[in-house]
Amino acid sequence: MAFTINMGKESPNRLKHFAALKSRYQATQYQDSSPASLLYLILRKLDLGIELLDLESNWLGESKLEETLEVIKQEQQYRVQEFRNLELELSKLKYKYKATKHNVSWQSSHLYFILLKLESGNFISDSEVKWLRANGLYETNQIAQEVNRFTQLKSKYKATHYQDSYPDSPLYQILKKLEVTESLNNSEYNWLIDQELFEIAEIFKQQESVKETHFAQLRDKYQANTHSHLSLSSPLYLILQNIDIENNLSESEINWLEQQGLSETIAIAQELEQTREFATLRHKYKVTHYQDSSPKSHLYKILKRLELSNQLGEQDINFLKKRKLTEIIEIVNAKYASTLKSKIDLGELLNELEIQWLKNNRCEDIIILAQQKHFAILKRKYGLIDPSLALEPFYAIMVKLEKKERLDPKLVLQLMEKEILSPGGKIALAYYRLEAEFYEQEFHRTGNKWDIPTASSYWRKADEPEQALKLTNLDLSQIRENKLKSAISVTRGAAFRDMDNLADAEICAKKAMEYHPDSYQPYTLMAAIAHDKGDYAKTDYWYEQAIKRGAKPEDIDDERKRLLRSTKDENKRHEAAEYLLKKDSQRYSWAKSYLKKSSDNDK
């Protein structure tokens, strides 16, 4: 007995639907055709793809509907197979479109639909592009863009009937070439014929015809008709195109043209290049109003030179002034001044020509900057650490010393006032060396032998007694004047003493006494030698002899101070100071300071 449900008034549509389902599932022998029938419920579930419950399957068996069960089984097998087919198809598409890293189920992902659109040559939307990017499928997105481009080109060149839309298709490469009017090779052209893409092949022929006409026009324009190879594949075509679009020729292109004997083409191209360059330079130097645009213009040569050097020659300046092109002079001067300032900032020194240029162009601020930087360098070189030392006159003094120029007396006096000429100082040594060289050169120039002791004295002050000994190594028998012999002997003896050779120093001092007994200088030398030996009584004796011969007592006292100050051995200095204080504590009271220094050092 059939189980029924009261469904209310039966709908004709339901009756038709039930009848159709019974036919589909081979259940027409079932008598009950009411939409309230249990069979209708089961068949509707199957139609919706809903799996039956065991209870429902058993009911079909009990109702003798074995054929219906067989149909259901076959449909289930088909669904399983189709599911597998869909998964396999998606796997292949994922591999083809570089989306294998996306592992989300195809049933819940947009990927399958997007890949199917690409495979069928359809455009993907902006939202689908964003989805690919958001899921990290950048390679897939890149392929998608290529597919879109390929589809556009197929539409443009009337090849939409060609099914393959993947970017590796030979057609895509061909259409991209046609888009930029690039020539096809023979294999590509033959491929179009084999695929019966005759319209595209005709488009290619038309393009080639246009290019051949263009090539002929370019050969006329740039005087290259003597070239025998007229094929579009000739390097000449590309070279002439480059010239025509105002590209400069490369070295290899010039060499090729020379090999083909196309010198006129080269000349035209180079003149065009120079004309363009001249226009650029005129704009850069603000002289676009200048009428002559020919590269043969002298102005072009001037501007070219300015690109290599920031200076103008006198002839160029006159040319510019006559034509009222002073803007160039102003620009160049500003650039050159900036270059010199940068040079100063990098710690480099300006030469005399550069300094003179700054003076001529009234760039006093840069001159002052250069002097300040140079002054700082020279102060370090000459060991001047006094921060209050004024730029002038000491900068001028050090510059003169650097140039090996002698100082005038006023400058020497200023150095003495600042106590910069103290013995051992670097400026003092440089100054004394210059003086020594000057007097030695004067001796060789004039033959005046009195320059010998003067030069020797300066060599000693320059802390170069060896030079003094070299200069005074003379045969004094060749000199008539005894005073000069004495003076040379004294300065030679003093040089020996500077080198701690007291024996030879004493020999020279005694010879000087013989040559000129009335001179006090040999005796002050003997006093200094005695002091060095620690024989202070003898020192007194020799100073007394010097005073008898005209030496002033106050000068002798100053000499004693210098001796004590220059004594390197602290014990000897202490002994000498004690000796002087015992001799006359009031007269030699200044010696107490050396006692104090010695005692401080002992502590």
Side-chain angles (χ1 to χ4, degrees):
M1 181 176 175
F3 175 79
T4 61
I5 301 173
N6 185 10
M7 301 290 288
K9 187 178 179 180
E10 295 178 349
S11 166
N13 290 335
R14 283 180 175 272
L15 292 172
K16 288 180 182 180
H17 185 227
F18 189 13
L21 289 175
K22 285 199 296 181
S23 175
R24 173 181 170 187
Y25 288 98
Q26 298 185 20
T28 54
Q29 73 272 27
Y30 189 72
Q31 297 299 317
D32 188 357
S33 297
S34 170
S37 167
L38 183 59
L39 180 60
Y40 185 38
L41 171 64
I42 292 172
L43 296 182
R44 280 195 295 163
K45 285 182 69 175
L46 291 170
D47 192 42
L48 293 171
I50 302 172
E51 191 173 349
L52 296 184
L53 301 173
D54 291 341
L55 183 65
E56 294 166 332
S57 297
N58 292 337
W59 183 86
L60 289 172
E62 292 170 358
S63 301
K64 311 279 189 187
L65 294 170
E66 288 82 0
E67 292 183 1
T68 302
L69 285 170
E70 183 62 28
V71 172
I72 292 170
K73 181 180 177 182
Q74 290 175 358
E75 279 199 356
Q76 287 175 339
Q77 290 175 344
Y78 173 77
R79 286 193 184 96
V80 170
Q81 186 60 45
E82 276 300 294
F83 188 87
R84 288 174 180 168
N85 290 341
L86 286 171
E87 283 191 327
L88 180 60
E89 183 179 343
L90 176 60
S91 178
K92 290 179 179 179
L93 290 173
K94 285 169 68 176
Y95 180 79
K96 182 177 182 179
Y97 290 96
K98 314 291 186 187
T100 52
K101 66 180 182 179
H102 189 73
N103 296 318
V104 180
S105 170
W106 64 271
Q107 299 175 73
S108 59
S109 172
H110 298 302
L111 182 61
Y112 193 17
F113 178 71
I114 293 173
L115 296 184
L116 282 173
K117 284 184 75 174
L118 293 174
E119 185 68 4
S120 60
N122 290 307
F123 290 104
I124 64 172
S125 64
D126 290 343
S127 62
E128 289 165 337
V129 169
K130 289 179 182 178
W131 186 90
L132 290 172
R133 289 175 179 167
N135 286 274
L137 298 170
Y138 301 109
E139 287 185 276
T140 307
N141 182 54
Q142 184 61 38
I143 295 172
Q145 301 309 312
E146 293 292 322
V147 170
N148 286 352
R149 177 65 174 149
F150 189 10
T151 302
Q152 289 173 340
L153 291 175
K154 285 199 294 183
S155 175
K156 178 176 180 179
Y157 290 96
K158 301 176 182 178
T160 52
H161 58 282
Y162 184 76
Q163 296 301 314
D164 189 2
S165 296
Y166 199 72
D168 66 356
S169 166
L171 180 59
Y172 184 39
Q173 309 308 317
I174 290 171
L175 295 182
K176 285 196 294 184
K177 281 189 172 184
L178 293 180
E179 189 68 4
V180 294
T181 66
E182 183 180 338
S183 295
L184 303 181
N185 57 42
N186 289 335
S187 62
E188 290 170 328
Y189 180 78
N190 292 334
W191 185 89
L192 290 174
I193 300 302
D194 292 342
Q195 299 297 317
E196 298 183 356
L197 296 169
F198 302 117
E199 290 186 9
I200 297 176
E202 184 60 30
I203 290 172
F204 165 65
K205 284 186 173 182
Q206 291 172 3
Q207 286 187 353
E208 292 296 282
S209 177
V210 170
K211 285 192 283 186
E212 286 170 356
T213 302
H214 183 227
F215 189 16
Q217 291 171 343
L218 291 176
R219 293 198 306 272
D220 285 338
K221 182 176 181 180
Y222 297 107
Q223 299 184 21
N225 280 318
T226 57
H227 187 60
S228 57
H229 185 31
L230 304 180
S231 168
L232 293 176
S233 62
S234 168
L236 179 61
Y237 185 36
L238 181 59
I239 291 173
L240 295 182
Q241 287 182 91
N242 280 336
I243 296 173
D244 208 48
I245 60 175
E246 299 186 348
N247 285 339
N248 292 345
L249 291 180
S250 66
E251 187 176 350
S252 61
E253 289 173 330
I254 293 173
N255 291 338
W256 188 90
L257 290 171
E258 287 176 344
Q259 291 168 5
Q260 308 305 313
L262 298 171
S263 56
E264 291 182 343
T265 305
I266 295 172
I268 293 171
Q270 290 179 338
E271 185 174 355
L272 290 172
E273 288 176 20
Q274 291 169 352
T275 301
R276 290 194 296 272
E277 184 183 28
F278 190 17
T280 302
L281 291 174
R282 285 162 60 204
H283 178 75
K284 179 178 179 178
Y285 290 95
K286 301 179 181 179
V287 286
T288 51
H289 57 280
Y290 190 69
Q291 296 299 317
D292 189 356
S293 60
S294 169
K296 296 177 182 178
S297 165
H298 184 64
L299 178 60
Y300 174 56
K301 296 176 183 177
I302 292 175
L303 298 183
K304 281 272 288 182
R305 284 198 294 270
L306 288 179
E307 290 298 287
L308 301 175
S309 170
N310 286 332
Q311 284 186 283
L312 287 168
E314 187 176 348
Q315 184 179 357
D316 292 339
I317 291 173
N318 291 335
F319 175 89
L320 295 172
K321 285 182 176 178
K322 285 180 181 178
R323 288 154 184 82
K324 298 181 179 179
L325 298 174
T326 53
E327 303 93 337
I328 297 177
I329 299 173
E330 292 171 3
I331 292 172
V332 172
N333 286 350
K335 282 177 62 179
Y336 188 55
S338 178
T339 300
L340 295 182
K341 188 176 182 299
S342 298
K343 185 176 179 180
I344 295 165
D345 291 335
L346 291 172
E348 298 179 30
L349 300 180
L350 302 186
N351 58 44
E352 291 184 9
L353 290 176
E354 290 168 336
I355 293 291
Q356 189 58 50
W357 185 90
L358 290 171
K359 289 178 179 177
N360 294 342
N361 289 275
R362 300 178 181 178
C363 299
E364 287 80 7
D365 55 331
I366 300 179
I367 293 174
I368 292 171
L369 176 64
Q371 289 176 341
Q372 289 171 340
K373 293 275 187 179
H374 194 199
F375 187 38
I377 292 170
L378 292 177
K379 283 202 298 181
R380 287 195 295 272
K381 177 177 179 178
Y382 288 101
L384 301 178
I385 57 175
D386 183 1
S388 64
L389 196 67
L391 183 72
E392 295 299 341
F394 301 105
Y395 174 64
I397 290 171
M398 287 187 283
V399 168
K400 276 183 169 289
L401 293 176
E402 286 291 290
K403 294 178 181 178
K404 297 189 178 301
E405 295 179 3
R406 294 181 71 210
L407 304 182
D408 60 51
K410 287 184 180 179
L411 293 178
V412 175
L413 183 62
Q414 287 173 316
L415 289 174
M416 294 175 68
E417 288 174 351
K418 275 282 185 178
E419 298 183 355
I420 294 176
L421 278 182
S422 57
K426 291 183 180 179
I427 282 189
L429 293 177
Y431 164 68
Y432 292 135
R433 188 178 298 110
L434 281 175
E435 291 299 298
E437 289 172 347
F438 170 75
Y439 282 105
E440 188 168 334
Q441 289 167 2
E442 281 296 290
F443 162 63
H444 291 300
R445 184 178 69 84
T446 65
N448 181 8
K449 292 183 174 61
W450 274 105
D451 288 328
I452 294 174
T454 304
S456 175
S457 176
Y458 279 120
W459 277 126
R460 288 183 54 239
K461 290 179 180 178
D463 200 17
E464 296 186 46
E466 302 89 346
Q467 294 296 327
L469 291 176
K470 183 180 178 181
L471 178 63
T472 57
N473 187 18
L474 303 169
D475 181 4
L476 296 183
S477 65
Q478 301 298 316
I479 298 175
R480 293 181 180 179
E481 194 174 352
N482 283 334
K483 286 184 179 180
L484 177 57
K485 290 180 182 180
S486 178
I488 293 173
S489 297
V490 168
T491 188
R492 183 171 175 80
F496 277 125
R497 176 178 169 264
D498 292 338
M499 298 177 69
D500 295 325
N501 186 347
L502 299 183
D504 286 338
E506 188 170 340
I507 291 171
C508 290
K510 288 179 178 179
K511 282 185 179 180
M513 292 177 186
E514 292 175 7
Y515 290 134
H516 191 198
D518 294 333
S519 172
Y520 65 82
Q521 290 176 337
Y523 296 90
T524 56
L525 174 58
M526 285 297 291
I529 294 168
H531 173 87
D532 291 347
K533 290 179 178 181
D535 191 345
Y536 305 119
K538 275 284 187 183
T539 302
D540 290 341
Y541 168 75
W542 289 116
Y543 276 137
E544 288 169 4
Q545 294 301 314
I547 291 171
K548 287 180 180 179
R549 286 164 178 77
K552 296 179 180 179
E554 57 269 25
D555 290 340
I556 296 300
D557 286 351
D558 289 339
E559 179 68 19
R560 283 185 182 275
K561 286 181 182 179
R562 283 193 292 273
L563 283 174
L564 207 56
R565 185 170 58 245
S566 62
T567 301
K568 297 174 183 177
D569 189 297
E570 291 182 5
N571 292 328
K572 283 187 176 182
R573 189 165 60 240
H574 186 84
E575 288 176 4
E578 282 187 331
Y579 177 82
L580 291 175
L581 290 168
K582 286 180 182 178
K583 181 178 176 66
D584 190 335
S585 60
Q586 186 174 355
R587 180 178 178 183
Y588 302 114
S589 59
W590 47 265
K592 291 178 182 178
S593 61
Y594 293 100
L595 288 178
K596 185 176 185 299
K597 288 179 182 177
S598 297
S599 61
D600 288 344
N601 290 330
D602 290 339
K603 291 177 184 179

